[in-house]
């Protein structure tokens, strides 16, 4: 019996030693894992030298991902940007001219529609140039048979020439090209039953136009709210 007790004590000591060894091993494994994690984090998750964590896994050393999280493209940090060619940036549109040459001929045309409803008049103008020369700019004159109330702000490129007149720029137009579309929503004085809008060219940009018929219009619009095309 005494021998059995001593054997039991020795067995208990072995269990205690084994448990201690296992616990020590777990601590060592955890410490090693932490070290590996720190080393891995420094290379892939923003460790030393990358405080914002943008170094990408699998990228070449020293190459960082940009805001798009891509290894290539303009957002890659550290990649040299290709210098812009000043000649390309400054190159004008070959179909647009800053000044019409002497004797240049073009064919301006305006098309759109006019509406009148509840004391408001709406005018839509689509300028175009049938060529053969380009037009650096032109001015459309819109004259109303009823004075305008003058309370609305005009769109960019337009101004009031008189209480009954609005002048608008078409912008540059290449040959066989279109200009800036013009949309007006104006209040007229009173509540007329109809309004007449005269549309023509006030300035042709220095080019000749031998066909004024397609840019000179007289549109009668009753107060029905319908669109009367020209």
């Amino acid at each position: 019996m005494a021998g059995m007790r001593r054997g039991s004590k020795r067995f208990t000591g072995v269990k205690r030693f084994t448990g201690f060894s296992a616990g020590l091993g777990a601590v060592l494994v955890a410490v090693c894992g932490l070290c590996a994690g720190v080393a891995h984090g420094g290379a892939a998750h923003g460790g030393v030298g990358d405080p914002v964590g943008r170094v990408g896994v699998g990228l070449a050393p020293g190459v960082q991902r940009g805001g798009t999280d891509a290894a290539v493209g303009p957002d890659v940090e550290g990649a040299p940007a290709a210098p812009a060619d000043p000649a390309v940036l400054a190159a004008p549109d070959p179909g647009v001219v800053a000044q019409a040459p002497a004797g240049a001929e073009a064919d301006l045309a305006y098309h759109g529609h006019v509406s009148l409803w509840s004391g408001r008049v709406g005018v839509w103008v689509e300028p175009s140039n049938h060529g053969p020369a380009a037009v650096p700019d032109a001015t459309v004159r819109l004259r109303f048979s009823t004075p305008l109330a003058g309370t609305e702000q005009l769109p960019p490129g337009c101004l009031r020439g008189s209480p009954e007149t609005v002048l608008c720029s078409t912008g540059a137009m290449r040959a066989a090209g279109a200009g800036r579309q013009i949309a007006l929503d104006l209040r007229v004085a009173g509540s007329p039953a109809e309004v007449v809008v005269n549309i023509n060219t006030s300035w042709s940009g220095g080019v000749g136009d031998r066909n004024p018929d397609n840019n000179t219009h007289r549109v009668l619009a009753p107060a029905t709210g319908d669109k009367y095309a020209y």
Side-chain angles (χ1 to χ4, degrees):
M1 291 295 292
M4 292 179 64
R5 293 192 186 95
R6 285 194 295 271
S8 176
K9 289 180 180 180
R10 285 195 296 270
F11 180 72
T12 303
V14 170
K15 288 201 301 180
R16 289 176 180 175
F17 177 75
T18 303
F20 174 76
S21 299
L24 180 60
V27 171
L28 292 176
V29 170
V31 171
C32 292
L34 178 61
C35 294
V38 170
H40 178 70
H45 298 293
V48 178
D50 185 32
V52 296
R54 294 188 298 176
V55 177
V57 179
L59 299 182
V63 178
Q64 295 180 335
R65 294 186 187 271
T68 57
D69 197 28
V72 295
D75 207 21
V76 176
E77 295 186 6
D85 188 349
V88 173
L89 295 179
D93 187 334
V96 175
V97 294
Q99 183 176 358
E105 292 283 341
D107 183 10
L108 301 178
Y110 310 135
H111 298 287
H113 54 78
V114 178
S115 300
L116 179 65
W117 73 98
S118 303
R120 303 192 69 88
V121 59
V123 182
W124 179 265
V125 183
E126 295 183 1
S128 61
N129 173 26
H130 297 164
V135 178
D137 199 353
T139 303
V140 182
R141 179 193 293 115
L142 302 104
R143 186 183 299 276
F144 299 85
S145 59
T146 302
L148 303 173
T151 56
E152 290 84 8
Q153 183 176 359
L154 296 176
C158 295
L159 57 84
R160 299 184 190 279
S162 71
E164 300 87 9
T165 306
V166 174
L167 303 171
C168 293
S169 167
T170 66
M173 292 182 287
R174 64 174 65 229
R180 180 189 300 120
Q181 295 180 346
I182 303 166
L184 299 176
D185 180 5
L186 307 171
R187 180 169 293 281
V188 296
S191 298
E194 62 182 27
V195 66
V196 176
V197 183
N198 290 281
I199 304 168
N200 60 5
T201 300
S202 174
W203 177 64
S204 61
V207 300
D209 187 348
R210 300 185 182 183
N211 181 28
D213 293 340
N214 56 359
N215 62 69
T216 303
H217 305 282
R218 180 181 175 87
V219 186
L220 171 64
T224 61
D226 298 321
K227 297 177 180 179
Y228 294 90
Y230 59 90

